[in-house]
Structures are given as structure tokens and as C-alpha cells.
Amino acid sequence: MKITTKKYQLDSKVYIGLGMNNILTIKPWIFVHAVPAVIAAIGFLLPGTIWWIASGIVLYLLYILFWYIQFAGMAQTEQGKMMFEKVSYEITSQQLLVKVDAKRGYPINWKQIAQVKVKPDYFAIYMEGPKLNIQVHIIHLPFSIFNSPNDLRFFESIIRSKGFITEEELQKIKEKNKKN
């Protein structure tokens, strides 16, 4: 069986938000080390040593800014342009085919996908990154691009069978959707 979706164009703001969220969840040490460092710096608060706190905060903000610029720049580069074109998807249990038009497209094997996150109104598919376990190639699939509820359920069963999500995680998302 094959799922064919409606055409969809990823907005660069959505991409930046997904990327930043992914960085902050992949690298939780940013918060784990930042809080004790600030607390330790406060303990050394003597006249003239406030620069420890200020430099720690500035370095933290520069790190976040670095990643923000990386994701914002991806939308501007020639290599990243294809991620922001209007495309449709053909999804099977063997691959995910990204179709620009009837003749052009590129296949993505399920082995190339690092993780799939299910949110209340979309799927975020993160492809394997070459370095540092950072996934910069993101496929955003809102539930609205699926042609029918059956297509959505079939896609859920594919990602569940591939081990990207558990049944419990899927049920939590469905319960949240029912409450809203």
C-alpha cells in the first residue's frame, strides 16, 4: 500500500523552530551545566568578579545564536532550497519518496531516518546527520496533508513498525487531541 499526500511547502520559520527544539532536546547538557555554573558564580560574588556571571550568560546566548544562524542559513543556501519547495510525499513501508513534480523526486530510505517525533498536529522526521548527532534535514508532515484518516493511521503503523514510536506515545498524542 502507498500513501500519497497533498502538496506541502515547509515554512522557514517552522523549520527553524523544529531545529532549535531538536538542538535543545538533543543537548540537554546546555541547561544542566548552565544552571550550576550560574549558582557557583553567584557564590563567588565578590566585588569585581561579576564578569564570571556575565561571561557565562553571554557564552550561553552565543551558543544558542550560533545554532539559530545555522538553521536560518539553511533556508538561504542552494543545498537547502529543496527542503523549502512545494512537494508531495509517497510513503510506503520501504521508503519515503519526496516528489517535487511527477518526474522529479528523491527517495529516502527508512534507514536514513534518525527519529520521528509525533506532536498533536504534525509528524517531524529527522534524518541522520553526518556529525555530532545533529539532525538538520527535517521533514515536517502536518496531519492536514494526509488525504484521509486511513492514510494517517497507515503512516502511524509504519513508523510504529520501524520502531520510531511506541503505541503508548501514540495514544498520549491521541488523548491530547481529543481534549483539544
Side-chain angles (χ1 to χ4, degrees):
M1 190 172 158
K2 171 174 74 171
I3 301 169
T4 304
T5 66
K6 301 172 189 170
K7 284 203 170 243
Y8 175 71
Q9 184 173 9
L10 178 62
D11 183 36
S12 61
K13 291 178 183 175
V14 171
Y15 172 75
I16 292 169
L18 287 171
M20 290 301 293
N21 186 20
N22 193 36
I23 287 297
L24 295 175
T25 55
I26 283 179
K27 301 203 173 281
W29 57 264
I30 295 170
F31 296 113
V32 172
H33 292 288
V35 172
V38 169
I39 292 171
I42 290 171
F44 291 106
L45 249 173
L46 299 172
T49 60
I50 191 87
W51 66 274
W52 283 97
I53 296 173
S55 62
I57 292 170
V58 167
L59 287 174
Y60 175 73
L61 292 175
L62 284 174
Y63 183 80
I64 298 298
L65 181 64
F66 167 78
W67 282 110
Y68 182 83
I69 290 170
Q70 295 296 313
F71 287 112
M74 185 70 160
Q76 307 300 319
T77 63
E78 192 61 37
Q79 296 89 354
K81 292 272 187 210
M82 190 168 203
M83 288 177 54
F84 302 99
E85 290 183 11
K86 197 166 194 171
V87 296
S88 64
Y89 301 93
E90 282 186 8
I91 304 164
T92 65
S93 59
Q94 288 82 29
Q95 69 182 7
L96 184 110
L97 181 63
V98 181
K99 292 179 67 173
V100 178
D101 57 33
K103 295 181 182 179
R104 293 187 309 149
Y106 58 94
I108 300 170
N109 194 322
W110 286 106
K111 292 177 185 173
Q112 295 175 279
I113 295 172
Q115 66 178 337
V116 177
K117 292 184 181 177
V118 181
K119 299 295 181 181
D121 57 346
Y122 66 89
F123 295 102
I125 300 173
Y126 297 90
M127 296 177 57
E128 284 290 341
K131 298 178 187 175
L132 302 173
N133 249 355
I134 308 274
Q135 293 92 20
V136 295
H137 298 292
I138 303 169
I139 298 174
H140 179 256
L141 298 176
F143 292 169
S144 61
I145 69 168
F146 290 93
N147 291 317
S148 71
N150 289 336
D151 287 348
L152 187 61
R153 281 193 295 274
F154 182 61
F155 182 70
E156 289 170 351
S157 71
I158 290 173
I159 61 173
R160 196 172 48 248
S161 69
K162 300 291 181 188
F164 291 117
I165 191 165
T166 64
E167 183 66 35
E168 292 80 27
E169 292 171 316
L170 204 52
Q171 289 304 323
K172 287 179 187 176
I173 297 298
K174 288 180 181 182
E175 287 173 12
K176 284 182 184 177
N177 283 344
K178 287 180 183 177
K179 290 179 184 176
N180 295 336

